[in-house]
Amino acid sequence: MVTEMEDVVFSCTGNGIQVDRKVVQTLQKNFVQVQNILDQNRLLINEINQNHESTIPDNLTRNVGLIRELNNNIRRVVDLYADLSSSVTTSMEAFSEGESNNANQSDQRDGQKRIRSS
């Protein structure tokens, strides 16, 4: 899935608009980090469940630290998704500004042509 990100194209106005390479790299990096954390969480949850079922006091005590680690990982995932959202929003705002500037420049050129042809 990560390698497919290199071929991402956003279609905002019917035109195929390629996403900035930097944005794609940020998305890839964050998605890989999220996936690694989620994989680690799966292992943590399995260990927490095993410790809970064992009823050995040391294992139950160990769960306190494991649950804290799990909670911290969840916070990190939330932060990474916030970064992803911010990156996409910033990219789309920059794109919109570029489209607006291009339209204004085109209108100005059209206006100049009409004045000359009068």
Side-chain angles (χ1 to χ4, degrees):
M1 179 174 162
V2 173
T3 56
E4 294 171 5
M5 294 285 299
E6 293 178 14
D7 298 327
V8 170
V9 173
F10 284 154
S11 179
C12 298
T13 59
N15 300 330
I17 291 78
Q18 285 203 318
V19 179
D20 185 350
R21 186 178 278 297
K22 183 178 177 183
V23 173
V24 172
Q25 289 172 343
T26 300
L27 292 173
Q28 285 178 322
K29 177 184 158 202
N30 284 4
F31 280 129
V32 167
Q33 287 178 328
V34 165
Q35 188 58 54
N36 289 337
I37 293 169
L38 293 175
D39 290 343
Q40 184 181 8
N41 285 356
R42 186 177 347 99
L43 297 174
L44 285 170
I45 291 168
N46 287 339
E47 186 175 349
I48 289 167
N49 287 336
Q50 289 172 357
N51 289 345
H52 183 72
E53 291 171 0
S54 76
T55 65
I56 297 172
D58 287 343
N59 287 350
L60 294 174
T61 302
R62 178 165 164 65
N63 272 359
V64 173
L66 294 174
I67 291 169
R68 283 190 184 125
E69 185 177 351
L70 182 64
N71 285 335
N72 287 333
N73 285 352
I74 291 168
R75 282 188 204 101
R76 287 174 49 207
V77 168
V78 169
D79 290 343
L80 287 168
Y81 277 125
D83 291 346
L84 284 168
S85 176
S86 176
S87 293
V88 169
T89 300
T90 301
S91 174
M92 295 309 296
E93 287 172 352
F95 166 74
S96 293
E97 288 174 10
E99 283 288 304
S100 176
N101 289 340
N102 288 342
N104 288 339
Q105 289 173 355
S106 177
D107 289 346
Q108 288 173 352
R109 280 184 296 229
D110 290 343
Q112 290 172 352
K113 289 178 185 174
R114 282 189 214 119
I115 292 170
R116 289 182 201 155
S117 65
S118 297

